Amino acid sequence: MARPTTDPTPSLGDARSVPLEAALEGHRERFADLLPGPGRCRTFFSPGRVNLFGGHLDYNGGPVLPTAIDRGTFFAIRLRDDGRIRLASTFSDEAFDGHAGDLPATRTGQWFDYPLGVVRALASSEPARSARLADGFDLLFGGNLPVGAGLSSSASICVGTAFSLDAAFDLGLSPEERVATALDAERGFVGVQCGIMDPFAVGFAKPRHVLWLDCKDESYEHLPLDFDRVAIGVVDSGVQRALARGEFNRRVDECAEAFRVLRQHAPGAAVLRDVPRAVLDEHQSALDPVLARRARHVVEEVERTFVARDALLRGDLETLGRCMVETHASLRDLYQCSSPELDDLVTAAVESGGALGARLTGAGFGGCVVMLVHAGEEERATEAVARRFEAQYGRRPPVAFFQGDSGPREVLASGGSRPGDAVIGA
Ligand code: GLA
C-alpha cells in the first residue's frame, strides 16, 4: 500500500482549538497506517519550551528562566517481541527499521538520530533496561511544535522519547534520569554541545510557572508567574536558523576561550558565570575584542537574570520587561546572535505599547521572539507586531500565547478518559 504523504511541519499559527486528546487520537490513527501491527498502542505528549531570561547562559554555568509551552511532540508506541525497532515520523518519509541488538553505532544524519540516541543511552545505562528494550518496539513521532524555530523541538523529542520508553517498558527512570538520557543522546550521539536548559525546561515543566534553573549546580525551583496580569507571547520570524548550529558551537568555544584567559584572574571561578564584572573590566584588554564582547554579555546577563528573578518574585512586571529588552540588546550587540527580522519584531512589540518587553528566544540567528504582554493586551500587541512586520516583510508572522505546560505525559484514548485526563508521570 502506498504510504500516505507526510504532514507539513507545524506552524505557530496553526489552529489551537484542537484539544490534545483529539490531536493524539489523530496521531493514533496515523500510527495504525504508518506502522501497522498487532498490540496495544499508547500515546504520549512532550512539550517544547521558550526561554524568558538567561540567554546563552546555560553552557556558561549561569541561571536561566525558561517555561514549557503546550505545543510539542506526539508519540505513539507499541511493544514488540521480535527485537525489531521501527521509528517513523508524520513529517518525514525517512524511517528507521532495525534491530535492538544491532543499532547504528554513530549518527546517521537523519531526524531519527535523536530517538536512536535515547535508545542507545538507555540500553547502555543498566543491563536490566537493555534487556527490556531488546524486545523491540514501534514508535511514531508527530506533533504541533514548529521545528527549527528556537522552541526546542530536539529536547521535546529526546525527553519525550525517554518518557515514552520508560512508561512502555517500565524502566523505572527518575525524572532526573530522563533528562540525563536526553542530554546524553544529544551530546553523545547527535553530537551537539547543547547546554542543560532545554531538557530541564521540558522535563520539569509546571503549568503557570517558570523554571529557575541554576546551570552550575543543576538546582532548580518553580516560580509562579501571575497570568492574571501577564501573558507570554511567541512570534515566529519564519526565518530558519540556517547558520545556527555552527554559530552556536562557535559561541560555546568563544566563551570557553574567554574563560580560559579570565580564570587566571578569578581564583576559584569554575565557569564563566563566576567571573566578577570587576575582573572583566580590569582584564578585558587581554581578550580578543570578539571574546570580550561575549564575556561581557555573559557577565551582565547573569546579573540581569538575578534582577529578573527578584522582579518576578515581587510581581514587578515593568522591571521584567525592561530586563528582556536589555537582554535582547545584549544578544544583538555583544553576543551577535540576532537577525534583522528578530530586531524588528522586538522593536515592534515594544513600540506597540502592549508589550512590557521582548527578546529573541532560543539560540537566535532566526526563529522566534518572546514577548511579555499585559494580560488583556494580547490582541493589541499581536496586531501591532504583525502589521508592522507584514508592512516590512510582506508576510504576517504567526503569534501564539502560552501559560506553561505540565511536562511529558501519557494522553489516554478519548473513549476511556475525560478531556484533560492525562496520566502524569512520577
Ligand atoms: C539553544 C541551546 C540551549 C541554550 C540556548 C541559548 O537553545 O540548545 O542550551 O544555550 O540556545 O540560551
Side-chain angles (χ1 to χ4, degrees):
M1 195 177 81
R3 199 186 147 116
T5 50
T6 54
D7 296 341
T9 38
S11 152
L12 206 54
D14 290 347
R16 308 210 60 212
S17 51
V18 186
L20 196 54
E21 286 71 20
L24 266 292
E25 196 68 57
H27 193 62
R28 219 170 267 122
E29 281 164 23
R30 299 297 303 277
F31 184 56
D33 281 347
L34 297 174
L35 289 172
R40 180 181 173 216
C41 155
R42 290 173 72 180
T43 47
F44 297 86
F45 171 79
S46 173
R49 70 93 189 91
V50 60
N51 186 23
L52 301 178
F53 300 100
H56 286 270
L57 288 192
D58 58 350
Y59 55 86
N60 287 304
V64 292
L65 267 171
T67 186
I69 60 177
D70 64 354
R71 295 284 192 98
T73 311
F74 302 163
F75 305 79
I77 188 166
R78 175 197 305 121
L79 302 188
R80 303 181 64 99
D81 58 10
D82 58 359
R84 195 172 168 193
I85 292 180
R86 296 194 293 172
L87 305 170
S89 166
T90 60
F91 303 127
S92 171
D93 282 330
E94 304 295 337
F96 176 81
D97 193 345
H99 197 274
D102 187 26
L103 293 175
T106 53
R107 66 167 179 253
T108 65
Q110 299 288 350
W111 67 269
F112 45 73
D113 280 344
Y114 292 89
L116 273 182
V118 171
V119 178
R120 286 192 61 90
L122 288 175
S124 61
S125 66
E126 271 182 27
R129 288 178 185 154
S130 179
R132 288 186 189 189
L133 291 168
D135 283 346
F137 58 91
D138 294 331
L139 182 50
L140 178 70
F141 296 80
N144 55 10
L145 182 67
V147 176
L151 301 175
S152 205
S153 51
S154 57
S156 175
I157 289 175
C158 289
V159 177
T161 301
F163 189 95
S164 307
L165 292 173
D166 183 21
F169 284 96
D170 199 12
L171 299 177
L173 299 179
S174 66
E176 285 78 10
E177 283 177 307
R178 292 196 288 263
V179 165
T181 302
L183 269 172
D184 220 28
E186 279 210 64
R187 289 175 175 168
F189 192 72
V190 182
V192 180
Q193 283 317 308
C194 55
I196 68 169
M197 173 176 73
D198 299 346
F200 268 85
V202 170
F204 293 101
K206 192 170 172 183
R208 299 177 73 86
H209 284 72
V210 293
L211 185 76
W212 169 266
L213 172 65
D214 189 316
C215 300
K216 188 175 171 190
D217 62 10
E218 301 189 4
S219 59
Y220 63 86
E221 65 184 302
H222 294 100
L223 306 180
L225 187 57
D226 186 356
F227 284 99
D228 293 336
R229 294 176 60 214
V230 80
I232 295 175
V234 177
V235 192
D236 191 348
S237 73
V239 178
Q240 283 285 328
R241 304 173 309 147
L243 291 171
R245 195 43 67 204
E247 287 293 330
F248 179 83
N249 287 340
R250 193 197 309 254
R251 295 298 179 281
V252 176
D253 292 344
E254 287 167 348
C255 287
E257 178 57 17
F259 179 56
R260 200 185 57 74
V261 175
L262 291 171
R263 75 183 309 175
Q264 299 161 35
H265 311 287
V271 282
L272 186 53
R273 168 258 181 96
D274 293 331
V275 173
R277 184 195 275 260
V279 169
L280 177 60
D281 290 346
E282 194 180 336
H283 298 284
Q284 179 159 325
S285 55
L287 293 172
D288 165 277
V290 170
L291 300 192
R293 282 201 287 276
R294 308 300 187 244
R296 170 80 43 202
H297 165 75
V298 170
V299 166
E300 292 181 359
E301 181 74 354
V302 169
E303 293 176 358
R304 204 161 25 237
T305 305
F306 278 99
V307 171
R309 178 197 157 96
D310 289 346
L312 184 66
L313 290 174
R314 61 172 195 276
D316 178 352
L317 299 179
E318 272 62 37
T319 301
L320 272 181
R322 204 188 59 237
C323 285
M324 258 191 178
V325 173
E326 287 173 12
T327 288
H328 185 78
S330 182
L331 290 169
R332 181 190 63 211
D333 301 336
L334 298 176
Y335 223 68
Q336 297 176 292
C337 63
S338 190
S339 72
E341 292 86 353
L342 295 175
D343 295 342
D344 288 334
L345 281 174
V346 168
T347 306
V350 174
E351 289 184 359
S352 74
L356 289 144
R359 54 156 289 204
L360 67 83
T361 188
F365 310 105
C368 291
V369 156
V370 58
M371 56 183 183
L372 214 55
V373 173
H374 282 294
E377 296 281 328
E378 292 91 331
E379 227 174 287
R380 184 155 79 97
T382 300
E383 264 316 299
V385 169
R387 223 178 306 120
R388 185 151 154 177
F389 191 84
E390 193 173 13
Q392 253 173 309
Y393 296 97
R395 63 196 152 83
R396 213 180 146 83
V399 183
F401 286 85
F402 299 100
Q403 300 203 340
D405 185 74
S406 52
R409 56 194 178 272
E410 181 162 14
V411 181
L412 301 174
S414 53
S417 67
R418 299 174 301 276
D421 187 1
V423 176
I424 312 287

